[in-house]
Amino acid sequence: MSEQVQLQAQIGDDLIGQRLDQVVAQLFPEYSRSRLQGWIKDGSLTVDGEARRIRDKMLGGETVRVQAELELIDQHQAEDMPLDIVYEDDDILVINKPAGLVVHPAVGHRSGTLLNGLLNHFPAIAQVPRAGIVHRLDMDTTGLMVVAKTIPAQTELVNQLQDRSMGREYEAITHKVMTGGGMVEEALGRSTRNRQKMAVSPMGKEAVTHYRLLKKFRSHTHIRLKLETGRTHQIRVHMSYIGYPLVGDQLYGGRFRLPKGASEQLQQTLKTFKRQALHAKKLELWHPITGEQMSWEVDLPEDLQQLLSVLESDAKSIEEYDL
């Protein structure tokens, strides 16, 4: 199922000399630049009735027309499921995602995803590409996500992700004890050895992660992270790369080893913690329609709180033994 898009505008003198993609981004701001570029490339967007290139400079006075199809989400079923909605208005939804929830249908996960739940909660979101999902969390990562309920809201949120004005902060628990905070600035690309993994690669896309210490334990560290970029598995790959993989990370954690002298409670907790210890703690953005600056923060889920409690008890038991 698709929606017909028909647009028309004349290029004003204020846009003379600009590239076509830059011009149409200003003429049709309700659509993302990547979507507009796609229409230029496939000929759905024309200038004075002719297909043009993205980089072509405009002279002013030309007529731009768009005759395109916008695919809607109709191949996926709405499913009634509980959604932990932190905030909602006419334009956006902010959700606290639990562990185990897949965000978007894929091979092996055709139903039971966040997208299916969104279609049930707000059926009109089917008119928004990808049901308004502008960024994702891994299946076993918990925490805050924003979803757009309209195309204009989606376009503006994507712009905020691209210009890095959307703030996202995470908390994680790593193996080994860090000496201090820092920054990882290593490009990421698809692994050549395992296509399901990402890896540090000089040919990859820019990726920047900032981290600071919240609490050091006997053999683990509780950290806070802030993303400048949002690459797939970014935090997990960067932390593993610098030698501090996340607790429970089955993909990037390496060989599982128990710390020396760990209490029985800690040993059991680590053995049974089967997801990456990562939580999207805080989200900041500019409301895509009103322009208001907004911020949300949610508590760590119960399993991470329990892990921290066990690590604290383990540290205290060693301190008491040393005394």
Side-chain angles (χ1 to χ4, degrees):
M1 182 178 176
S2 61
E3 176 186 352
Q4 295 297 317
V5 177
Q6 294 188 353
L7 307 170
Q8 181 172 316
Q10 189 170 34
I11 300 175
D13 291 345
D14 58 323
L15 300 175
I16 291 175
Q18 294 190 36
R19 289 166 34 135
L20 176 57
D21 61 336
Q22 297 170 332
V23 168
V24 296
Q26 296 175 70
L27 293 177
F28 310 120
E30 66 272 29
Y31 296 98
S32 69
R33 180 164 295 190
S34 61
R35 180 169 293 119
L36 291 167
Q37 288 177 339
W39 288 341
I40 295 171
K41 290 176 181 178
D42 67 19
S44 299
L45 187 153
T46 60
V47 179
D48 289 339
E50 297 181 353
R52 302 290 291 273
R53 297 174 300 177
I54 286 174
R55 65 177 182 271
D56 285 348
K57 301 292 181 62
M58 298 295 100
L59 301 176
E62 301 98 329
T63 298
V64 178
R65 288 188 177 88
V66 176
Q67 290 186 307
E69 289 188 353
L70 198 61
E71 290 191 15
L72 304 182
I73 302 293
D74 67 335
Q75 69 271 39
H76 303 300
Q77 296 296 316
E79 296 180 29
D80 187 8
M81 65 177 65
L83 297 177
D84 185 358
I85 298 173
V86 177
Y87 174 83
E88 181 176 12
D89 61 25
D90 292 340
D91 305 293
I92 63 173
L93 273 165
V94 177
I95 293 171
N96 185 15
K97 190 187 86 67
L101 178 62
V102 174
V103 170
H104 195 282
V107 177
H109 298 282
R110 293 299 183 188
S111 63
T113 71
L114 174 60
L115 183 146
N116 300 111
L118 291 170
L119 290 172
N120 179 76
H121 175 75
F122 184 62
I125 209 167
Q127 299 174 23
V128 185
R130 297 182 299 281
I133 295 170
V134 296
H135 66 120
R136 304 187 188 189
L137 294 177
D138 297 335
M139 179 176 73
D140 287 327
T141 298
T142 57
L144 292 169
M145 287 182 58
V146 63
V147 177
K149 296 172 71 174
T150 66
I151 290 177
Q154 184 189 47
T155 299
E156 173 57 25
L157 290 174
V158 169
N159 289 340
Q160 290 186 38
L161 284 167
Q162 292 177 342
D163 67 20
R164 304 181 184 181
S165 59
M166 184 183 295
R168 290 165 294 161
E169 294 187 21
Y170 295 72
E171 287 190 17
I173 302 169
T174 75
H175 288 287
K176 302 196 294 186
V177 181
M178 291 185 176
T179 56
M183 177 182 73
V184 185
E185 189 172 7
E186 296 288 347
L188 298 179
R190 188 68 60 179
S191 170
T192 56
R193 297 182 179 181
N194 182 346
R195 299 302 293 173
Q196 302 210 340
K197 296 179 68 173
M198 302 298 288
V200 168
S201 167
M203 302 301 292
K205 295 182 179 179
E206 177 193 16
V208 182
T209 305
H210 300 267
Y211 62 94
R212 62 182 176 89
L213 275 57
L214 294 179
K215 178 79 174 181
K216 292 194 288 187
F217 298 100
R218 193 169 59 84
S219 52
H220 297 83
T221 312
H222 181 197
I223 59 174
R224 186 94 170 210
L225 306 107
K226 187 174 179 65
L227 296 182
E228 282 193 33
T229 54
R231 309 304 178 199
T232 301
H233 300 172
Q234 178 174 321
I235 289 174
R236 299 165 63 188
V237 177
H238 272 174
M239 291 301 101
S240 178
Y241 178 75
I242 64 173
Y244 299 93
L246 304 191
V247 169
D249 194 332
Q250 306 296 305
L251 197 57
Y252 300 103
R255 181 182 174 186
F256 176 74
R257 293 179 180 176
L258 288 168
K260 292 181 180 180
S263 65
E264 289 188 12
Q265 184 185 26
L266 178 56
Q267 290 184 42
Q268 183 62 25
T269 300
L270 292 174
K271 286 178 181 178
T272 57
F273 202 94
K274 297 300 183 181
R275 75 171 183 93
Q276 61 269 10
L278 181 61
H279 176 69
K281 174 79 172 175
K282 185 176 181 180
L283 176 67
E284 292 181 307
L285 54 83
W286 301 92
H287 191 281
I289 305 303
T290 69
E292 176 188 0
Q293 188 171 25
M294 308 183 79
S295 176
W296 300 270
E297 194 161 344
V298 291
D299 292 337
L300 294 175
E302 185 176 344
D303 61 345
L304 285 182
Q305 292 189 38
Q306 175 63 20
L307 175 57
L308 288 172
S309 177
V310 172
L311 289 171
E312 187 74 40
S313 297
D314 176 76
K316 287 182 178 179
S317 68
I318 297 299
E319 291 173 1
E320 292 170 358
Y321 178 80
D322 289 341
L323 291 175

